[in-house]
Amino acid sequence: VLTDQSFLNDVNKDEFFDYLDYLDYENKKHKYYDSRKKSIKSKSISIRKTAIKIDLRIFEKQHKLREEFKNGGIPSTVNIVDLNNYSLHEEIGEGTFAEVFRIINKENEHEQFAAKIFKTEFDDFEISDQINFSREMAILSNLNHKAIAKFVGYSNVDFEGDERPVVIFEIEPNKSLRNILDLEQRGFGHPDWNDTKKFINIFGIACAMRYMHFSNLIHRDLNPNNVLLDEYLYPKLTDFGFSRTNISFNKIREVCSQLGGTPIYISPEIFNSNLYSSFGDVYAYGMIVYEIITGENPARGFHSFWDICYEVSCKKYRPKFTCAIPECYKQLIEDCWSEKPDSRPPFVEIVNRLLLDKEFTENIDKNEFLDYMDSLNDKFPANNALTLENSIRILSFQKKAIS
């Protein structure tokens, strides 16, 4: 105990050495204790000095971050939107961290957008999260992918003047994937919502997520509410990037407890450890694919956030396959919602699987899908090993595999 410093890390050393003196061992042992006492006290002083230096470095870093945000704010490359020029209309979607409304330009009623209004005030973010948010606005303004909703601009106040961030995106005529799925589950499916459109949504979402992950962005709130549908019922991802800010599990619980189905898309490691990663996006994707292919809501039968949290995190709940579906989809879904995060396939693998396994494309209009794939003009970021030239070669090969 005396020779191993780790035993003494968390004890009151003065009291401990007083106790050793009290024991009144033999003189030669007392001499050893005295030497150890001086040695440990000396080390304690050294440790305290080191801790003070570390605290000073942390303080200096935080001060630098505050000054950076104070002086920089939202990057000049980001378009700042004056919401006074727009009127607020109906809600068209809701996610864990934000609500989406349709807004219309007061001077041009044909100019309509989607306004994503955060539920958390900006001042409630940690200073480092505020800085990350401003940096991510710059990233979002540079994203360019057919299956990602176009970023239009940003406002630091909402329509009521509260300092809640508002992010403006292009709006889509068919609202969200959530609307389409809800109608289908109630027996009022959209007449054009067929196997081809379903596969295009599954494929398009995977391509958008692959692009995001290669851009070092994770979504953290991937669910049908955050997939907008254009005039052809093709997908456009929204509400991403900002979710990298460090939002606590308590905040997720507070918001999700009011949202019905959204918590079912949260992966077990988030419930258990508030651990976000790209694999959490893959888990959510698996739930979306399940709902598209089976036509069933994976949250059916649950009545509260806590029911879902307990079943998923403690009992490893996954929705059952109550009807027959193609084996390729069943395997993909089960791989995506694997209990172990690192056992879930990355999106680059998912995209390749969707293209190369012909079972996925047996019952779809291949011409429509190939036209959609062409329209994606799917590019990898320049800093990735997969260059545009290589991705074109891959695309050509994959088209032949489908045909």
Side-chain angles (χ1 to χ4, degrees):
V1 172
L2 288 171
T3 57
D4 189 338
Q5 176 70 32
S6 61
F7 285 108
L8 304 174
N9 283 342
D10 300 320
V11 305
N12 184 321
K13 297 177 180 61
D14 289 332
E15 181 180 358
F16 174 65
F17 283 113
D18 287 342
Y19 175 70
L20 291 182
D21 289 339
Y22 172 76
L23 291 179
D24 197 20
Y25 280 171
E26 296 175 353
N27 288 336
K28 63 180 180 179
K29 290 185 178 179
H30 279 299
K31 291 178 182 178
Y32 175 71
Y33 298 147
D34 287 342
S35 66
R36 286 293 298 150
K37 183 175 180 179
K38 290 177 182 177
S39 172
I40 292 171
K41 283 187 175 179
S42 175
K43 289 182 179 178
S44 296
I45 292 171
S46 175
I47 291 169
R48 281 197 292 272
K49 286 182 177 178
T50 302
I52 291 171
K53 288 180 181 178
I54 292 172
D55 287 341
L56 284 172
R57 285 176 190 157
I58 293 172
F59 175 79
E60 288 172 357
K61 183 177 181 181
Q62 289 176 337
H63 178 72
K64 183 179 179 182
L65 288 174
R66 288 178 187 276
E67 287 301 311
E68 178 184 343
F69 181 75
K70 178 180 177 182
N71 296 327
I74 298 299
S76 59
T77 55
V78 175
N79 181 40
I80 303 300
V81 175
D82 184 355
L83 295 183
N84 290 319
N85 297 327
Y86 296 87
S87 56
L88 184 67
H89 292 261
E90 77 276 8
E91 181 178 312
I92 58 176
E94 184 173 13
T96 306
F97 308 119
E99 298 168 296
V100 186
F101 294 86
R102 185 167 64 95
I103 63 173
I104 300 177
N105 190 322
K106 292 178 180 178
E107 296 183 356
N108 181 3
E109 64 180 18
H110 298 294
E111 199 172 87
Q112 302 185 15
F113 301 103
K116 195 72 125 178
I117 304 176
F118 277 70
K119 298 178 179 180
T120 304
E121 288 199 7
F122 194 72
D123 285 345
D124 292 337
F125 291 5
E126 295 291 336
I127 186 66
S128 58
D129 293 334
Q130 293 177 0
I131 294 166
N132 286 336
F133 184 91
S134 69
R135 289 171 178 167
E136 286 173 356
M137 287 299 98
I139 294 173
L140 290 175
S141 65
N142 289 318
L143 288 181
N144 181 22
H145 193 281
K146 182 76 172 179
I148 292 177
K150 184 181 178 182
F151 175 81
V152 175
Y154 166 81
S155 172
N156 60 355
V157 295
D158 64 14
F159 283 86
E160 297 177 354
D162 295 328
E163 292 187 350
R164 295 192 299 165
V166 180
V167 182
I168 314 298
F169 288 97
E170 64 180 342
I171 197 170
E172 300 300 338
N174 282 304
K175 296 185 178 181
S176 71
L177 179 60
R178 176 77 276 148
N179 297 99
I180 293 292
L181 294 175
D182 283 347
L183 285 172
E184 184 180 41
Q185 290 162 13
R186 292 170 185 158
F188 301 101
H190 192 291
D192 295 329
W193 185 241
N194 53 35
D195 287 344
T196 302
K197 296 295 195 294
K198 291 177 182 180
F199 181 72
I200 285 175
N201 272 262
I202 289 168
F203 179 78
I205 294 169
C207 285
M209 291 305 305
R210 176 182 64 171
Y211 176 87
M212 283 181 59
H213 286 182
F214 276 135
S215 301
N216 296 317
L217 285 171
I218 57 175
H219 196 296
R220 296 188 17 159
D221 196 18
L222 183 60
N223 68 76
N225 285 303
N226 292 329
V227 180
L228 305 181
L229 299 180
D230 68 12
E231 65 270 33
Y232 304 109
L233 298 179
Y234 296 165
K236 300 264 191 178
L237 255 62
T238 186
D239 194 19
F240 45 80
F242 352 97
S243 35
R244 289 178 67 188
T245 54
N246 186 23
I247 299 173
S248 70
F249 179 77
N250 286 334
K251 182 63 181 176
I252 296 172
R253 178 198 63 197
E254 173 190 336
V255 176
C256 285
S257 61
Q258 307 168 10
L259 288 186
T262 301
I264 199 67
Y265 298 91
I266 298 175
S267 62
E269 66 272 14
I270 298 174
F271 281 124
N272 291 327
S273 309
N274 198 29
L275 177 63
Y276 286 92
S277 72
S278 59
F279 296 119
D281 287 341
V282 175
Y283 180 93
Y285 175 79
M287 286 291 178
I288 292 175
V289 176
Y290 171 88
E291 191 164 2
I292 291 174
I293 294 302
T294 66
E296 297 184 6
N297 190 325
R300 188 178 60 179
F302 290 107
H303 303 290
S304 72
F305 170 89
W306 292 114
D307 287 343
I308 295 174
C309 178
Y310 173 73
E311 290 293 329
V312 171
S313 63
C314 298
K315 301 187 76 173
K316 301 181 181 180
Y317 167 82
R318 303 291 186 274
K320 296 184 182 301
F321 295 95
T322 57
C323 59
I325 65 171
E327 184 61 29
C328 60
Y329 278 114
K330 186 172 185 291
Q331 189 61 57
L332 174 64
I333 293 166
E334 290 178 339
D335 288 347
C336 287
W337 69 30
S338 172
E339 187 70 16
K340 294 182 179 180
D342 57 4
S343 294
R344 300 168 199 158
F347 278 104
V348 64
E349 179 183 324
I350 292 171
V351 169
N352 286 338
R353 190 189 298 192
L354 291 171
L355 287 169
L356 297 177
D357 187 340
K358 291 187 177 182
E359 188 179 4
F360 284 110
T361 56
E362 276 182 352
N363 299 314
I364 70 168
D365 182 332
K366 294 180 178 60
N367 288 328
E368 180 181 359
F369 172 63
L370 290 174
D371 287 343
Y372 173 73
M373 193 162 64
D374 277 337
S375 74
L376 284 181
N377 192 22
D378 209 8
K379 299 177 182 179
F380 294 91
N383 61 351
N384 191 272
L386 286 171
T387 63
L388 175 59
E389 183 180 357
N390 286 337
S391 65
I392 291 173
R393 287 196 191 119
I394 293 171
L395 190 66
S396 175
F397 171 75
Q398 290 165 343
K399 278 189 178 184
K400 290 177 182 177
I402 291 173
S403 302

